[in-house]
Amino acid sequence: MLIPILIGAVSALAILAHVAPFRFALDLAHRDMSVWRMPVAGSAKPIYLTFDDGPNPTATPDLLTLLQQKDVKATFFLIDDYVTADTAPIVRRMFDEGHCVAQHTGRRWLLARSPAHVESMLEAGASKIEQLAGHRPARLFRPHAGWRSEALYRGAARANYTIVGWSWMSWDWVGLRQRTGPRVAQQVLAHAGPGKIVVIHDGHHRNPRADRAYAIDAAARLADGLRAQGYRFRTLCEDLPPGSSASPAK
């Protein structure tokens, strides 16, 4: 009886090491090149809004307009396949309006590929964004759904990229309930903390034109709610040098 329990526990830990939605074993082993919460100096209250799975032509432009109106700068993790001649103006707008642009992926099983493949993918994606949008993205990479591996870390290191996750309960997953702006905002606000990295999805890894009205609503509520709590919105480009896990926010 004890042996099956031990096998199950070891198997669960092995799975968590690769897919845990928080810093875990692999990340602790690579703490010099991964970040899940930014360090904070003194009494500063920086917070980092990040958006995944764009650019989404049905949602991202409205989100950018909202952020401009609220005077909020954010970090966008883009799916390479979604950066095209049609969506390039959206990405150029991100750069022009002072947001941080980084790389994401819709490929969950990237963790099973070789370090050389990961390095090549990151460099090719950066070159594509630069060619289409006129600017090269930051050397920051967020794996799809947090699925990561030793090979993925090694590939990112070869390309001099930092792996970026997100902070505990600072996400737009609300259990089995429908995602709505109020629910997402309430969850993030209830667990807000200095240096936390918030993740919201303005796109979808399988649908490049997904309805993401809830994300825009949540962003509006968070812009007001977090600012009312004394938080300052920062981008990861401002406070996270390439190839290093983090620097204290000022």
Side-chain angles (χ1 to χ4, degrees), residues 76-178:
F76 287 85
F77 287 90
L78 307 183
I79 291 181
D80 173 49
D81 292 340
Y82 292 173
V83 181
T84 66
D86 290 335
T87 61
I90 301 173
V91 183
R92 283 197 294 271
R93 182 179 172 189
M94 293 174 185
F95 284 110
D96 292 344
E97 295 181 1
H99 300 291
C100 179
V101 177
Q103 291 195 69
H104 190 36
T105 180
R107 299 176 178 87
R108 194 177 295 254
W109 289 103
L110 182 66
L111 84 170
R113 304 302 297 268
S114 69
H117 177 89
V118 174
E119 178 186 20
S120 176
M121 184 205 75
L122 290 172
E123 294 297 346
S127 295
K128 178 182 179 183
I129 291 172
E130 183 177 29
Q131 180 182 13
L132 289 172
H135 300 274
R136 202 165 184 85
R139 290 185 178 272
L140 307 174
F141 176 62
R142 175 174 282 161
H144 175 64
W147 283 37
R148 52 213 185 270
S149 65
E150 178 65 27
L152 189 147
Y153 266 111
R154 287 168 55 198
R158 287 170 53 158
N160 196 30
Y161 272 68
T162 298
I163 301 294
V164 179
W166 47 82
S167 303
W168 179 251
M169 294 301 288
S170 297
W171 48 62
D172 58 356
W173 183 69
V174 289
L176 299 179
R177 297 177 298 169
Q178 180 183 2

Side-chain angles (χ1 to χ4, degrees), residues 40-45 194 248-249:
V40 177
S43 59
K45 292 186 69 174

